[in-house]
Amino acid sequence: MTTLILHNARLIDGTGADPVSDAVVVIDDGKITYAGSNSSAPQVDESTTPVRIDVGGNTVTPGFFDCHVHLSLPGTKGSPIMAAMVPQSYRYFEILDRLTATIGAGVTTVRDLMGVDVGVRDAVAHGIIEGPRLLVADKMFSQTGGHADFHIPSGLDGTGLIGGLIVDSVDEARRHARALLRDGVDLLKVASSGGVTSPSDDPDWLGARTEIVAALVEEAANYGGRKVAAHAIGLAGIQAAVQGGAHSIEHGYALTAELRTEMVQRGQFLVPTLIETLKPDTATPQAVAKSTKWHALAHESIQASVEAGIKVAVGTDAGLVPDHGDNLGELGCLVKFGGMSPMQALVAATKTSAELCGVDDTLGTLEAGKLADIVVVKGDPLADIDSLTDHANILLVLKEGKSAINRGGFSI
């Protein structure tokens, strides 16, 4: 048995409890066996030759989550159009740097909500490539002319290239859902409103109707209790997603007081993707114009959602507007626009996001029995939440007790 002991640490355990000074975290074979005050730490069997790491009084947190990424998209590092210019195999190699950038930011678990299939997820899980653990949707359901329909006037069709899946009836939705669930996806993704990037619709427009959302929810539940994430920006689409029973509302900019109340009653999550709204979406001229309006609404809307008691998880849309690796900028946005305290933002990025992903029994907090996904952060992120955006401040990232990033030069 390999024992790893992090000591001289300031512990933020992800539960929302006050930080613990002079803390210790004990890891045995990739799992946490103790996290708390040094004065209450158990005696360690020295015959096991434990590895002790003095983290220099810096802060230890759970590994962070990003519940809305697109690893198949380049962010500002390129154009989605280039995907049409290279073989599919080339695009898989591009993903490698994006995985590295993401875990290098301290993000140890992501939900990829369109574009990455189960093969990439399993390659990471089996240790063939390095990166955060993945939960994947693979495709995004949309009706003809909806958010995932990338037919353009020239006659070219980029729908399949980006990961779109067109369904125009409940029966079509059920059939395609069953095929994806058969393939082993972790969740389903549906667009119940139009979008900013999409060329043929608007966020105000209704996308997948309530009955299609409900059908997908039913199929996902029947295939192993899996969940549905719904892209929903405008009011009509949010209403369809909420009342159709989606597990998470992605974006949710036009939420009303009534729908917020309904989300709380249903136990639904909101993934507001605020960092996406800090820059215009430049994918098309139409996207630039749309983003001006909708990004402003996102900033105005989120605080009311937080105050209503909706469970808010962290997601960024990394790969679309934000770059991979910029993920933890979302926490500062939750503080700035959402009125969260820095501790609340940290909990959103750990415990609440783990609950959304259905992995809170093993991840999201630093407690005995959980997997040792741990980040050592320079200084005190509660005093400066934006310090998390600087990778130089992410000193050590452990994934299941193994070093993924070690900028602090610790001897492990």
Side-chain angles (χ1 to χ4, degrees), residues 17-92:
D18 291 338
V20 177
S21 300
D22 191 22
V24 170
V25 180
V26 182
I27 302 164
D28 287 314
D29 286 342
K31 288 189 175 182
I32 298 166
T33 54
Y34 177 79
S37 171
N38 180 45
S39 62
S40 302
Q43 292 294 316
V44 175
D45 183 358
E46 294 298 329
S47 67
T48 63
T49 317
V51 177
R52 299 179 184 275
I53 301 175
D54 184 341
V55 302
N58 290 303
T59 302
V60 174
T61 74
F64 295 101
F65 284 68
D66 189 332
C67 299
H68 191 136
V69 305
H70 297 289
L71 289 162
S72 63
L73 297 176
T76 64
K77 302 294 194 296
S79 167
I81 296 173
M82 291 305 298
M85 309 303 291
V86 297
Q88 186 176 16
S89 56
Y90 184 91
R91 298 181 65 205
Y92 278 110

Side-chain angles (χ1 to χ4, degrees), residues 18-355:
D18 291 338
V20 177
S21 300
D22 191 22
V24 170
V25 180
V26 182
I27 302 164
D28 287 314
D29 286 342
K31 288 189 175 182
I32 298 166
T33 54
Y34 177 79
S37 171
N38 180 45
S39 62
S40 302
Q43 292 294 316
V44 175
D45 183 358
E46 294 298 329
S47 67
T48 63
T49 317
V51 177
R52 299 179 184 275
I53 301 175
D54 184 341
V55 302
N58 290 303
T59 302
V60 174
T61 74
F64 295 101
F65 284 68
D66 189 332
C67 299
H68 191 136
V69 305
H70 297 289
L71 289 162
S72 63
L73 297 176
T76 64
K77 302 294 194 296
S79 167
I81 296 173
M82 291 305 298
M85 309 303 291
V86 297
Q88 186 176 16
S89 56
Y90 184 91
R91 298 181 65 205
Y92 278 110
F93 286 109
E94 288 184 308
I95 290 171
L96 298 178
D97 282 344
R98 298 167 192 167
L99 290 166
T100 300
T102 302
I103 200 164
V107 176
T108 57
T109 304
V110 301
R111 282 195 317 171
D112 191 291
L113 293 189
M114 181 191 71
V116 165
D117 64 17
V118 299
V120 177
R121 176 199 67 193
D122 292 349
V124 173
H126 299 160
I128 297 172
I129 57 177
E130 298 296 327
R133 73 178 53 73
L134 273 67
L135 304 170
V136 301
D138 191 349
K139 308 294 184 186
M140 177 167 65
F141 289 76
S142 163
Q143 81 280 15
T144 298
H147 184 46
D149 187 346
F150 274 71
H151 288 79
I152 55 178
S154 66
L156 297 177
D157 179 11
T159 302
L161 193 64
I162 66 160
L165 185 60
I166 303 302
V167 295
D168 286 309
S169 69
V170 167
D171 286 344
E172 285 182 352
R174 289 187 186 277
R175 179 169 61 85
H176 285 291
R178 291 168 184 170
L180 279 172
L181 293 163
R182 176 194 62 198
D183 291 343
V185 297
D186 300 289
L187 73 158
L188 300 178
K189 167 81 176 294
V190 62
S192 60
S193 83
V196 172
T197 305
S198 39
S200 304
D201 65 3
D202 187 273
D204 269 328
W205 298 3
L206 178 60
R209 276 51 173 175
T210 306
E211 58 268 25
I212 287 182
V213 176
L216 294 174
V217 168
E218 181 182 25
E219 295 299 333
N222 288 341
Y223 279 69
R226 285 176 272 197
K227 307 297 183 182
V228 173
H231 162 99
I233 296 178
L235 177 58
I238 295 172
Q239 184 169 346
V242 170
Q243 297 180 352
H247 189 56
S248 65
I249 308 303
E250 310 294 315
H251 316 302
Y253 302 157
L255 272 163
T256 62
E258 292 76 15
L259 284 169
R260 290 186 179 99
T261 299
E262 188 168 355
M263 283 184 67
V264 172
Q265 292 170 344
R266 291 174 174 267
Q268 292 164 314
F269 292 78
L270 175 65
V271 183
T273 63
L274 294 168
I275 191 174
E276 177 192 20
T277 67
L278 299 182
K279 298 176 182 177
D281 187 331
T282 58
T284 65
Q286 299 96 317
V288 174
K290 286 189 281 186
S291 63
T292 300
K293 169 186 174 180
W294 290 98
H295 291 179
L297 181 58
H299 300 167
E300 297 167 6
S301 167
I302 180 60
Q303 185 165 349
S305 296
V306 171
E307 291 174 350
I310 295 173
K311 294 181 287 188
V312 176
V314 163
T316 62
D317 235 344
L320 188 61
V321 176
D323 283 325
H324 301 286
D326 288 351
N327 314 71
L328 296 189
E330 184 73 10
L331 279 69
C333 291
L334 288 171
V335 172
K336 179 179 179 180
F337 300 114
M340 284 188 176
S341 69
M343 179 64 86
Q344 287 174 317
L346 283 164
V347 171
T350 53
K351 182 177 184 287
T352 307
S353 291
E355 292 170 357

